[in-house]
Amino acid sequence: MPRRLLLTHANLGGWISQKMREMGAEVVEGLGSWDAVGEIHSDVFLRDARRREAEVLAAAAVAEAALGREGVIFYAGGTAGAGLHASRGALFNVSVFLAKRLGAAVVAVDRHFPWGTWELHLEHKFPLYLVYGGAEGPSRRYLAKRGHDVVAFPLPPGAGDRSFGKVLSYVLREVEGPLVLQLGFDIHRKDPTGYFFASEAFFYRLGEELRGRQRFYISIECPSTPAVFTASLSALLSGLEGGGPPPAERYEESGDVLREVDLLLRRARGRLS
């Protein structure tokens, strides 16, 4: 079996699933159980989610298939918005389900703040690392006061490969044992609506750093455009499998951005207020 395994579900459809299948994704058949969804979600969520039963249980099937596997990358419709009280248009939060079952930490890397995952963190208290656009989420200080074992990196606009690489290297050193990564490709420099400047080089480096880990699970969240999705996922897989690096793209982050990221790292290491 390859070092990584891609999972998707036949019922989820769309170009993301199709692209994953072109890269060798395993298609999960059948539906999961409401018991799995109920392990982490409230009755209010379940009542709302039953209106989209086929989609929710397809995501649950992917989650249950991922258990017992290692090195899994999966797509379950984008789940980071699925929270404690209501579905908010999102599906079952597969990442939190895996974290609870496996005693894993959740690491969210996305331009958007993962509100659903945050709400479930307050309920289930799993270790949580948040890397997001500081303009689109709460402050680090607010999260530290309300959360339980949470470390936040609200990155400034203009952050690129160097910043994301430094933060993720720190986080991966901190997290021992199983890890669940909610990964959005909208941090890529070619995302049409974004303000971050990560490239394929970052996703390749992330794959390299994950390669030696025994158990990790990656939930694809914001996929960006088909071109960004394909390039980013291909680079991630190449890093995981020991392939060659992508062509280098030159982008110099500003001194202000790098200083702000270094300050966030110092505060994370010292858990400073």
Side-chain angles (χ1 to χ4, degrees):
M1 184 177 290
R3 181 65 187 88
R4 52 76 184 164
L5 179 70
L6 278 70
L7 292 173
T8 188
H9 197 285
N11 284 10
L12 290 170
W15 62 263
I16 306 171
S17 292
Q18 183 58 43
K19 290 289 184 184
M20 287 185 69
R21 290 171 205 176
E22 290 171 5
M23 296 180 188
E26 178 179 314
V27 177
V28 177
E29 300 292 347
L31 300 177
S33 67
W34 283 112
D35 287 343
V37 183
E39 277 192 46
I40 59 169
H41 286 295
S42 67
D43 290 341
V44 174
F45 180 97
L46 293 176
R47 188 167 60 245
D48 196 24
R50 286 184 189 279
R51 300 171 191 167
R52 301 170 64 189
E53 181 172 1
E55 292 173 275
V56 173
L57 295 186
V62 171
E64 291 173 329
L67 285 172
R69 312 284 188 99
E70 295 182 356
V72 178
I73 302 172
F74 60 88
Y75 173 69
T79 66
L84 180 60
H85 300 297
S87 65
R88 295 184 178 181
L91 303 175
F92 165 50
N93 199 314
V94 179
S95 301
V96 174
F97 171 79
L98 291 171
K100 186 175 181 189
R101 279 288 189 96
L102 301 171
V106 174
V107 179
V109 182
D110 198 296
R111 180 164 58 89
H112 302 96
F113 185 80
W115 285 106
T117 301
W118 168 250
E119 288 181 347
L120 289 170
H121 162 76
L122 296 178
E123 174 74 8
H124 298 291
K125 299 178 175 58
F126 48 86
L128 180 62
Y129 294 79
L130 298 163
V131 185
Y132 61 98
E136 300 194 36
S139 70
R140 175 195 58 81
R141 187 170 297 178
Y142 170 85
L143 296 173
K145 285 182 177 178
R146 290 202 62 202
H148 308 268
D149 199 7
V150 60
V151 183
F153 294 92
L155 297 187
D161 290 337
R162 188 172 172 187
S163 292
F164 280 98
K166 289 168 78 170
V167 169
L168 265 293
S169 290
Y170 165 77
V171 170
L172 294 180
R173 287 193 302 270
E174 279 278 295
V175 176
E176 298 179 357
L179 175 148
V180 183
L181 173 63
Q182 292 180 318
L183 183 61
F185 296 137
D186 57 353
I187 64 172
H188 194 282
R189 66 185 63 187
K190 292 182 180 176
D191 182 271
T193 63
Y195 46 76
F196 286 139
F197 292 88
S199 73
E200 288 89 322
F202 163 72
F203 293 102
Y204 176 83
R205 178 178 173 184
L206 177 62
E208 279 191 313
E209 296 202 32
L210 287 169
R211 194 191 314 160
R213 270 194 112 83
Q214 203 144 33
R215 280 190 110 169
F216 65 87
Y217 304 83
I218 302 175
S219 173
I220 296 170
E221 298 295 334
C222 294
S224 188
T225 65
V228 167
F229 175 82
T230 301
S232 301
L233 183 56
S234 297
L236 178 67
L237 293 174
S238 183
L240 281 168
E241 296 172 340
E249 292 186 49
R250 188 171 182 79
Y251 171 74
E252 294 293 335
E253 297 173 68
S254 73
D256 288 342
V257 167
L258 293 172
R259 282 189 288 274
E260 188 166 342
V261 172
D262 285 342
L263 177 60
L264 289 170
L265 283 165
R266 286 198 300 275
R267 285 172 168 163
R269 292 186 183 105
R271 301 294 195 271
L272 301 177
S273 60

